[in-house]
Amino acid sequence: DIKLNMISYLGFPISLPGGEPFGTICVLDNKENPYSIDAINLMEKMRDFIEIQLSLIEENRIQRQFASESLLRKILDNIPTAIACFTPLPEARTIYLNKHFIDRFGYTIKDIPTVDQWFALVYQDDHLTSRNQEWKVKFEQELRVHGRVESMESRVMSKEGSVFDVLISAIVFKDMILTSLVDITNRKQLENKLKESE
């Protein structure tokens, strides 16, 4: 048996990206130790560093898993619909954009590393910005409650500044959120012309 002779203990729990417990980082002392503010701050920083590394490890695991599913990737790369895949909420980091998405909207993963960055870029003018937060809250609520988002109409701005009318839907798929954006700009323009003619 190992006897630690522990008198003083300073510890912080470590959590996985999803919030599940991973372990504890701690300091044990065989004498009374009040532990200074500097020591406590150092332990907190070490805890934060470990949790960041765990998050990166999980993100890399998901990316490797997705890359290994070559058939799924080939299918997504060749369908005529914009597809984006993200890690689960709340981080929602971008792990994949298909060719149609990049061609249509001009953004790459470097441009939109997270869903938050996507919202910041596509809702830039006054009209779009006014709907940004309300739409984002509704989108995330639907994902959390139902595990999917039925087609929701929205307007987004491309990297070059063009505005598109789109139908956005999403579903939680394995360890990621798969989102599709169907361009309905031409249909909306025809509808508007029809209303004007009437």
Side-chain angles (χ1 to χ4, degrees):
D1 293 341
I2 299 176
K3 293 185 178 180
L4 299 176
N5 296 321
M6 179 179 69
I7 303 298
S8 299
Y9 170 89
L10 174 64
F12 293 91
I14 298 171
S15 300
L16 292 169
E20 302 88 354
F22 174 78
T24 305
I25 180 170
C26 60
V27 175
L28 309 177
D29 203 334
N30 61 1
K31 59 183 183 298
E32 291 290 339
N33 190 332
Y35 297 111
S36 68
I37 295 296
D38 288 342
I40 293 172
N41 289 339
L42 177 62
M43 291 289 287
E44 287 179 332
K45 287 179 180 177
M46 292 174 67
R47 183 269 319 276
D48 293 344
F49 176 78
I50 292 171
E51 289 186 341
I52 289 170
Q53 296 305 307
L54 288 171
S55 179
L56 290 173
I57 289 170
E58 176 64 8
E59 183 179 329
N60 289 336
R61 182 190 69 79
I62 294 172
Q63 288 178 335
R64 287 195 305 273
Q65 176 184 343
F66 187 76
S68 68
E69 296 173 356
S70 56
L71 178 59
L72 174 62
R73 191 181 185 105
K74 285 179 181 177
I75 293 171
L76 295 179
D77 272 334
N78 287 282
I79 62 174
T81 300
I83 299 291
C85 296
F86 306 95
T87 60
L89 298 172
E91 292 85 3
R93 297 189 63 80
T94 309
I95 57 176
Y96 170 76
L97 302 173
N98 75 344
K99 185 178 184 301
H100 190 82
F101 184 103
I102 296 170
D103 290 345
R104 176 62 69 188
F105 304 112
Y107 299 113
T108 65
I109 291 180
K110 287 184 179 179
D111 298 317
I112 49 172
T114 66
V115 167
D116 284 339
Q117 188 61 31
W118 158 255
F119 277 107
L121 288 173
V122 301
Y123 297 106
Q124 291 183 49
D125 67 27
D126 292 339
H127 172 70
L128 299 177
T129 301
S130 66
R131 298 180 58 190
N132 179 9
Q133 194 58 37
E134 179 184 347
W135 198 94
K136 181 173 180 285
V137 168
K138 185 177 179 182
F139 182 87
E140 293 182 349
Q141 183 180 16
E142 287 292 312
L143 265 186
R144 287 195 176 96
V145 174
H146 304 293
R148 65 186 302 122
V149 177
E150 300 298 339
S151 294
M152 295 170 60
E153 191 172 316
S154 186
R155 303 187 78 214
V156 300
M157 184 182 292
S158 71
K159 190 173 182 178
E160 66 176 18
S162 301
V163 175
F164 292 90
D165 291 289
V166 294
L167 286 175
I168 303 179
S169 58
I171 186 169
V172 177
F173 177 75
K174 293 190 176 180
D175 294 324
M176 70 186 74
I177 300 168
L178 189 149
T179 307
S180 66
L181 295 90
V182 178
D183 184 2
I184 58 170
T185 307
N186 291 337
R187 191 186 84 186
K188 295 292 288 186
Q189 289 173 348
L190 289 173
E191 288 176 356
N192 291 334
K193 287 180 180 178
L194 181 60
K195 287 178 182 178
E196 289 173 5
S197 67
E198 290 174 347

